[in-house]
Amino acid sequence: MPLPYRVGEWLPSDEAILDGWLRAMVEKSRAEPKPLHPVIADFQRLIESDAEIFMLFNQMFEQVPRRPPYDKDPSGRPQVRDYPHMLALLNTIMTHAPEFDRSGLVGCPINSIFDWSMGTAAGMAAFLNERVNAHLKQVLNTWGRFLSSSDSAYVLNDDPHKGWFGADALLAMPDFERQFVCDPGRPHWGFRSWDDFFTREFRPDARPVAGADDDRVIVNACEAAPYRIARRVNYRDRFWIKSQPYSLVHMLANDPLAQQFAGGTVYQAYLSPLCYHRWHTPVDGRIIKAYVKDGTYFAEALTHGFDPAGPNDSQAYITEIATRAIIFIEADNPNIGLMCFLAVGMAEVSSCQITAYEGRRVRKGGELGMFHFGGSTHCLIFRAGTKLEFDHHGRKPGLGAQPIPVNARIATVLAGS
């Protein structure tokens, strides 16, 4: 029976259901201590050599309350209380791929390690620090190389509870064989690595493009659940306050094109860890500019307090500061004109890979790029005066929404925009 989930399907509503894989990593790090991986050793040197960072990485764990539920992390183990324990856990994770787990934390174990400490004042400062984020990028890239190697494919098995092709996993991913390019008769169903499985492709016609010949129709760029729509968005705003308004100049990394979107509309939607993670073109047109902006990895809005699913409640906030891919598209329909697709990395979901290129003609539904690792969020940004009628397919925007299929109609642009 499917589990009742909350907070964007990152955590089960019943906290008694624990993340067994992460729990196993905790036990393994204690039972089989080993020298630090070079990238983790570099991270340790940064923490211990910089007085400010050393202070923050001590305080961020000390500031986590000692009372329930903060005395335990999402895996049900005692809360991490110091940075050496944190480093030991990271060291173990570097050479392990996530097993399937019914808890919902299947792709984001590092998020679990930092879960409560992200919500402290020291954690906020630490995860906004440029040097810390540069080292975290190296840590995540190193883990990403392992997850892209054949050594990570060992979790792509039919163990009924832990395997990605076992009974529990296939119940959580119904119609997998029919929907995705795979071959159950081959080892690991034909996937070369865990990341190859994670960035799997739909079979042809599994997600038909809505209004393929109608340039008024804007399609869903990701297999994602609607989170928020904001209109008349300010060019510059105080995005760190509790209401988390969008601040276009910061979202778009001070790009000269950002001014064109002042007063415009932002549609945001999020992906759960089990979602399809490739991005598709929402309109017919031409790519004007496309690049990745480095940013934060585990920062969250302090105004929201302790978020039981890491940065999930901070999705609007992180659009301005997290690592993100920025793709400007000049739509063929003049009532749309210039628009922007913004892919935002959440927690260890940091590898925003753009596969399209500047100057390329794109057709609606074509591939733009992909996320690697767990779940994430994205935005479609439109200029002021663009009149849009959104279609949520019966979903109410928010953390309880269910995903809308990629390439489905997400909005229609009205004449006179």
Side-chain angles (χ1 to χ4, degrees):
M1 179 178 178
L3 293 174
Y5 284 101
R6 59 186 172 87
V7 288
E9 297 190 1
W10 285 55
L11 285 177
S13 56
D14 181 359
E15 292 188 6
I17 302 166
L18 305 176
D19 184 354
W21 183 83
L22 182 58
R23 179 184 291 183
M25 293 300 98
V26 172
E27 298 296 345
K28 194 175 184 69
S29 70
R30 291 175 174 171
E32 303 174 19
K34 58 182 180 180
L36 293 181
H37 187 289
V39 75
I40 304 299
D42 284 345
F43 194 18
Q44 181 182 30
R45 280 190 286 272
L46 170 70
I47 293 171
E48 295 179 347
S49 64
D50 186 293
E52 178 185 351
I53 295 173
F54 181 68
M55 176 184 68
L56 293 174
F57 269 82
N58 277 279
Q59 289 184 341
M60 65 189 278
F61 294 113
E62 293 171 357
Q63 289 175 359
V64 176
R66 300 277 173 173
R67 65 183 185 277
Y70 313 110
D71 57 335
K72 297 183 185 299
D73 68 19
S75 74
R77 297 294 306 180
Q79 166 63 32
V80 174
R81 291 292 173 183
D82 55 63
Y83 76 85
H85 187 193
M86 172 202 79
L87 292 170
L89 291 174
L90 291 176
N91 196 51
T92 301
I93 288 171
M94 287 299 99
T95 52
H96 289 81
E99 296 174 335
F100 178 78
D101 191 287
R102 295 175 71 234
S103 72
L105 289 169
V106 290
C108 302
I110 301 175
N111 184 83
S112 299
I113 295 171
F114 293 139
D115 192 76
W116 298 128
S117 56
M118 279 189 268
T120 66
M124 179 185 185
F127 292 122
L128 288 175
N129 184 283
E130 187 173 351
R131 295 185 67 197
V132 168
N133 281 294
H135 277 72
L136 284 172
K137 179 179 180 178
Q138 294 305 313
V139 169
L140 296 172
N141 285 347
T142 298
W143 190 40
R145 284 191 288 273
F146 172 78
L147 295 178
S148 298
S149 74
S150 59
D151 291 340
S152 68
Y154 71 94
V155 296
L156 305 178
N157 59 60
D158 60 1
D159 181 285
H161 304 302
K162 299 178 180 180
W164 282 97
F165 303 121
D168 285 354
L170 293 179
L171 182 63
M173 301 181 295
D175 299 322
F176 187 95
E177 180 181 348
R178 182 178 61 84
Q179 291 193 3
F180 293 101
V181 177
C182 62
D183 184 354
R186 295 176 58 193
H188 313 303
W189 287 35
F191 294 104
R192 300 182 301 274
S193 65
W194 187 84
D195 187 68
D196 187 38
F197 159 76
F198 183 78
T199 58
R200 57 194 176 270
E201 298 182 69
F202 277 119
R203 293 188 184 276
D205 302 323
R207 291 293 186 270
V209 179
D213 298 318
D214 186 347
D215 65 7
R216 298 171 302 167
V217 175
I218 299 166
V219 300
N220 203 18
C222 296
E223 189 98 347
Y227 176 68
R228 180 192 285 184
I229 295 175
R231 303 180 189 272
R232 296 182 293 280
V233 176
N234 289 333
Y235 176 68
R236 181 178 286 107
D237 212 329
R238 299 170 65 242
F239 60 87
W240 58 89
I241 61 178
K242 192 171 181 63
S243 60
Q244 295 182 50
Y246 296 109
S247 181
L248 289 166
V249 66
H250 299 109
M251 294 172 73
L252 301 179
N254 297 292
D255 193 285
L257 295 176
Q259 185 66 55
Q260 295 191 39
F261 296 92
T265 299
V266 174
Y267 168 79
Q268 185 171 2
Y270 62 90
L271 298 75
S272 77
L274 296 179
C275 277
Y276 169 79
H277 277 82
R278 292 176 182 256
W279 321 325
H280 289 242
T281 310
V283 296
D284 293 334
R286 183 170 61 90
I287 297 178
I288 302 299
K289 190 181 290 189
Y291 59 96
V292 173
K293 168 65 177 176
D294 283 343
T296 64
Y297 296 96
F298 295 94
E300 65 179 36
L302 190 62
T303 53
H304 270 67
F306 293 108
D307 182 348
N312 222 37
D313 287 339
S314 302
Q315 287 190 56
Y317 169 81
I318 64 174
T319 62
E320 285 92 351
I321 61 171
T323 295
R324 54 205 184 274
I326 303 171
I327 303 176
F328 292 99
I329 305 170
E330 182 69 36
D332 289 348
N333 187 327
N335 289 321
I336 301 172
L338 186 68
M339 65 160 297
C340 184
F341 169 82
L342 186 74
V344 185
M346 290 175 64
E348 52 258 60
V349 196
S350 57
S351 294
C352 298
Q353 180 188 357
I354 299 173
T355 56
Y357 55 86
E358 294 180 7
R360 180 183 177 183
R361 287 280 313 162
V362 290
R363 287 284 294 168
K364 187 166 31 179
E367 185 180 296
L368 285 176
M370 69 195 78
F371 290 118
H372 295 267
F373 318 138
S376 200
T377 190
H378 79 285
C379 297
L380 299 180
I381 307 173
F382 302 91
R383 298 175 306 161
T386 305
K387 298 178 182 178
L388 299 163
E389 183 179 84
F390 284 94
D391 183 356
H392 299 310
H393 298 257
R395 281 78 161 171
K396 181 180 178 181
L399 287 174
Q402 293 299 308
I404 295 172
V406 67
N407 292 335
R409 180 195 304 262
I410 199 67
T412 301
V413 63
L414 306 178
S417 296

